[in-house]
Amino acid sequence: MKKIILCGIALVAGLMSCTEDYTNWGTPQSNTPNEPQTFVMMVQPTASSIDFATYTEETVQLFTTNVGEGQTKGYTVTITGENVDGIQIIQADANGRVATSTLEDVVIGLYGKAPTPRTLILSVETIVNNINTAEGVISAKVKASPYSMTAKLDAPYIDENGYYLVGNVDGWTCKRVEAYHMTNNGGDVYDNPEFTVELEPVDGVTTYEIKMIPAADFNDDGTVKEWGRALSALPGVDTPAYSGKFSDKNAGGNIKFDAVNGAKKYIVKINAMETTYDVKAITYNPFIYFIGATDGWNNDEPNRQRLALVDESGIYTGYIYCADPNGWGNEFKFQKVAGDWGTEVNSGMMSGGITGDVADGGGNFKATAGEGIYYFTLNMATNSLNAVRITNMNLVGDFNGWNQADDAQQMTWDAANYCFVITGAGVTANGWKFTANNAWGINLGGDINDLTQDGSNLSAVGTTIKLYPTRKTSDKIYCTVE
């Protein structure tokens, strides 16, 4: 049998490979020894680097080869990164071209969306048809040596530590003020580029004027050291608006929006990837407060359990410990303003229905599943209330295969301190969360100091974890990890 030696050469940095592995569908069998014949595929890279911010073509030619016209239908390109895990496999056409969007997706798949120059290591292989040999025409698979190129995504600078508002909200002091700190909900800022902050109304301000400064652009004393990356209005835009585009290079004036009568607060949100902003005036109170049998109906209780406004349409959610220590019945009401019976929310107001593990107690609400923690959803727009009794709270994460029903990671309720507790926790920095009732429907993640429903994975490591879900001593749901 005659041997066909198939070689692949990448003509870059002196790299060359040659392999005897081949698939031969056309060579007749023979025991007569012959001198081997060689087919060499040469790969010439044509794109050593690409910056997607300036590249405008719909396709990218990665390479050319010496494979003749009609000898291949296309190439399989296996791409890996430098110091990252993962493999991306794409198809190039017979001319060595791929869609620009396909190559962008490769970079994102290996490295994420940050606009940093990235090294791509490419290995090219194909089936070459119509190879003429002394024994006839054959088809064979051939693979070239790897070569590398660099690629940089088109994305704006995003500060991983967020942004700070400056403006007439604080009299243009142009200082870093924590109350005006815009943050995202955890994770890679290029995967989660939305940043928000809640602003309290400022007396006397009829039109708010702001800019947003990256956290990295402040001096140690809190003053602004660099204005060049401030988020501003677009050039020529001076009209107040509650949404729009912004410049991430301080190319325009102040972003403006008008004050709203009756607003309890404003939520300012930006998408740093899309360079858009949105302002919503919230006319609902930020919290609804619990009063009931758990606290002996004490209207002077300074530390109230509470539900938090999670949607500006009037939806409140939260965890409440319902108990009946005095034997009066496990009943309760809510108040829009703590201690003010004139703002009470009672069962008679729920024209939209009362569902789940709670019922109408004749003016009061009645917890029907016994003493314990309940997860409430109160919709003040539709006047409806739903409650789910929390039968267990578990830790779940990479450490236990994301098993949300792992009894070994079940927490215990500490009624005296209004917290769930576990000792001997197995969490690791590879990610974990809290889940309730052995399911994902109710879960907590994000930031250990501000846990939210469906928040990102946590990475804090410790063996003793305490979860404080009721907001009794804090406006936030939080946990400690020791």
Side-chain angles (χ1 to χ4, degrees), residues 19-40:
T19 177
E20 295 186 359
D21 296 331
Y22 66 97
T23 304
N24 184 335
W25 293 279
T27 304
Q29 300 296 311
S30 171
N31 292 322
T32 304
N34 292 286
E35 291 298 319
Q37 296 188 6
T38 301
F39 174 79
V40 178

Side-chain angles (χ1 to χ4, degrees), residues 87-429:
I87 296 174
Q88 300 284 313
I89 299 176
I90 60 175
Q91 301 298 316
D93 67 16
N95 295 314
R97 285 187 171 274
V98 299
T100 303
S101 60
T102 298
L103 192 58
E104 287 179 301
D105 289 342
V106 166
V107 180
I108 293 170
L110 291 172
Y111 292 103
K113 299 178 181 178
T116 303
R118 305 296 193 183
T119 297
L120 304 179
I121 303 169
L122 296 80
S123 295
V124 180
E125 63 180 83
T126 190
I127 294 175
V128 181
N129 302 308
N130 302 323
I131 301 175
N132 292 309
T133 73
E135 296 178 342
V137 178
I138 68 167
S139 296
K141 181 183 286 188
V142 62
K143 181 177 181 179
S145 300
Y147 72 92
S148 65
M149 64 176 291
T150 60
K152 181 182 177 183
L153 294 171
D154 179 17
Y157 167 79
I158 303 178
D159 195 309
E160 62 181 9
N161 293 313
Y163 299 80
Y164 289 84
L165 294 188
V166 297
N168 63 356
V169 291
D170 69 342
W172 286 104
T173 63
C174 297
K175 291 285 190 72
R176 180 178 56 216
V177 178
E178 197 57 34
Y180 304 133
H181 187 190
M182 306 188 76
T183 60
N184 72 347
N185 196 28
D188 188 309
V189 294
Y190 287 93
D191 293 328
N192 186 11
E194 292 188 345
F195 294 77
T196 60
V197 68
E198 295 181 0
L199 294 182
E200 297 294 328
V202 179
D203 290 341
V205 172
T206 57
T207 298
Y208 290 88
E209 298 191 29
I210 59 172
K211 289 188 175 182
M212 293 158 256
I213 312 297
D217 291 348
F218 285 89
N219 294 304
D220 291 341
D221 64 358
T223 58
V224 178
K225 69 177 178 181
E226 170 59 53
W227 285 91
R229 295 188 295 194
L231 310 186
S232 72
L234 294 177
V237 175
D238 192 52
T239 303
Y242 297 108
S243 63
K245 298 279 287 183
F246 62 77
S247 165
D248 61 355
K249 297 179 176 61
N250 199 22
N254 302 327
I255 295 172
K256 298 179 181 180
F257 61 91
D258 289 331
V260 175
N261 289 333
K264 300 293 190 298
K265 63 180 177 180
Y266 299 91
I267 297 179
V268 181
K269 177 186 292 186
I270 65 167
N271 187 311
M273 281 287 285
E274 298 177 2
T275 62
T276 58
Y277 75 90
D278 182 76
V279 180
K280 290 191 181 300
I282 306 303
T283 56
Y284 289 96
N285 292 315
F287 299 102
I288 294 285
Y289 297 88
F290 172 90
I291 183 169
T294 307
D295 299 323
W297 292 94
N298 181 7
N299 202 36
D300 296 321
E301 169 62 44
N303 296 320
R304 295 288 189 93
Q305 299 183 89
R306 67 198 77 174
L307 307 180
L309 184 69
V310 295
D311 187 283
E312 56 269 15
S313 65
I315 298 175
Y316 294 80
T317 65
Y319 300 81
I320 299 292
Y321 175 47
C322 295
D324 182 20
N326 298 307
W328 299 339
N330 198 348
E331 300 182 1
F332 59 92
K333 292 181 178 180
F334 295 106
Q335 295 174 336
K336 297 177 183 178
V337 178
D340 184 354
W341 281 112
T343 65
E344 76 170 64
V345 177
N346 59 54
S347 64
M349 300 168 62
M350 295 297 104
S351 58
I354 301 172
T355 57
D357 297 324
V358 65
D360 183 350
N364 297 335
F365 298 104
K366 184 175 182 178
T368 60
E371 178 181 344
I373 288 287
Y374 290 71
Y375 181 75
F376 285 93
T377 302
L378 173 63
N379 191 323
M380 293 299 291
T382 61
N383 292 316
S384 60
L385 178 70
N386 175 266
V388 177
R389 167 73 190 281
I390 305 300
T391 56
N392 61 61
M393 184 70 72
N394 283 16
L395 302 180
V396 57
D398 180 77
F399 69 96
N400 67 349
W402 294 99
N403 177 11
Q404 72 273 18
D406 186 355
D407 289 341
Q409 297 299 318
Q410 192 168 137
M411 307 183 79
T412 301
W413 176 247
D414 178 355
N417 294 296
Y418 282 75
C419 67
F420 286 101
V421 182
I422 186 172
T423 58
V427 300
T428 69

